[in-house]
Amino acid sequence: MSVHKDVKRVTTHTLQAMKDAGEKIAMLTSYDYSLGKIVDDAGIDIILVGDSASNVMAGHETTLPITLDQMIYHASSVVRAIQRCLVVVDLPFGSYQGNSRAALDSSIRIMKESGAHAIKLEGGMEIKESIIRILTAGIPVMGHLGLTPQSIYKFGTYTVRAKEDAEAEKLIEDAKMLEEVGCFALVLEKIPAKLAKRVAEEVSIPVIGIGAGHEVDGQVLVLHDMLGITSEFSPRFLRRYANLYDTIKGAVEQYIDDVRSVDFPNEKEQY
Ligand code: KIV
């Protein structure tokens, strides 16, 4: 018997049952209705409406510019598309770091206005109070440790995090704190596979990796990267499952040719 096959709607409890049963969790980002529907129909467990929308949807260099209103717009489009998966939404930069009241207000807006099921936020001890306040309101929280792109100007680069012992120990402490306060899962981004394995063994909640090896409880990728819509971003951890950049470009070139040569529309394609 497998947990994921038996559920009509994925909940945070389903994810915990999957970890407990040793079943891997599959998570992808989506930001709109059309792709969200395909991803859900394919059977994904979690859709993350990531603040990576700032990069792949809006063309910004970092995730910092995207606003709470824009995240709610993307999230509500995805929520209208899905029937089965759990939808998690990133709290964008600036919407929760100030104080726990702001963090709660932003989370409530996301839940009320988009209909999503949970929020995700980046960081450990420094945002503990905010996480507790959001959880106390009954909102499920997913943590995010390791490379946290909202802090890119502090890190200076997108290289692998927590290679040194001190940073690795802090990451483990942060992960245990996230579990202890009641987060339902956490994302580990771009850290050594050995460290990710240790975290997944030492915390009981599901640990989802991106660039963190396979000995965690699940994987997440940015949809536009794994579909090959984006081409300029090629980290080692990224596996491309399609080359939609070329497929879409080829289709558009063919359409342009057909319009110019009056091949389109033909007799059957008119009234
Ligand atoms: O915003 C995002 O897409 C993310 C994933 C990379 C985990 O946070």
Side-chain angles (χ1 to χ4, degrees), residues 29 31 48 50-52 90 120 122 144 187 189 210 220 222:
T29 66
Y31 319 98
L48 171 66
D51 58 358
S52 49
D90 264 334
K120 172 166 90 56
E122 297 181 4
H144 183 156
V187 165
E189 180 164 354
I210 172 164
V220 56
V222 169

Side-chain angles (χ1 to χ4, degrees), residues 55-114:
N55 310 109
V56 298
M57 300 301 285
H60 292 295
E61 207 177 303
T62 72
T63 57
L64 276 65
I66 199 160
T67 66
L68 185 59
D69 284 339
Q70 288 165 340
M71 289 304 296
I72 290 169
Y73 168 78
H74 287 299
S76 50
S77 306
V78 169
V79 168
R80 283 192 288 276
I82 62 100
Q83 292 192 322
R84 178 184 174 275
C85 70
L86 186 87
V87 178
V88 181
V89 183
D90 264 334
L91 282 186
F93 177 70
S95 73
Y96 65 99
Q97 290 90 347
N99 59 60
S100 63
R101 177 75 230 186
L104 177 61
D105 289 347
S106 302
S107 306
I108 288 176
R109 277 202 63 203
I110 287 179
M111 301 298 283
K112 247 188 191 314
E113 296 176 39
S114 76

Side-chain angles (χ1 to χ4, degrees), residues 145-251:
L145 301 172
L147 177 66
T148 47
Q150 292 179 11
S151 306
I152 188 57
Y153 291 116
K154 186 174 103 187
F155 296 146
T157 72
Y158 285 100
T159 52
V160 180
R161 304 300 313 172
K163 285 206 284 196
E164 307 302 327
D165 287 353
E167 197 182 337
E169 285 311 315
K170 172 162 176 5
L171 188 141
I172 291 168
E173 270 173 37
D174 282 342
K176 287 184 176 167
M177 180 278 291
L178 293 174
E179 173 188 30
E180 212 174 278
V181 298
C183 289
F184 72 91
L186 71 106
V187 165
L188 292 181
E189 180 164 354
K190 226 173 171 184
I191 64 165
K194 261 191 185 164
L195 175 61
K197 174 179 190 279
R198 194 175 147 198
V199 174
E201 282 168 359
E202 291 192 17
V203 301
S204 60
I205 56 174
V207 173
I208 316 285
I210 172 164
H214 70 272
E215 290 184 283
V216 287
D217 307 305
Q219 298 293 326
V220 56
L221 285 175
V222 169
L223 184 67
H224 290 58
D225 296 336
M226 62 84 80
L227 291 179
I229 296 174
T230 52
S231 53
E232 58 283 358
F233 181 67
S234 274
R236 189 205 296 196
F237 66 75
L238 174 61
R239 185 180 293 182
R240 288 196 201 282
Y241 287 84
N243 183 351
L244 290 196
Y245 179 91
D246 285 348
T247 306
I248 295 170
K249 185 161 171 274

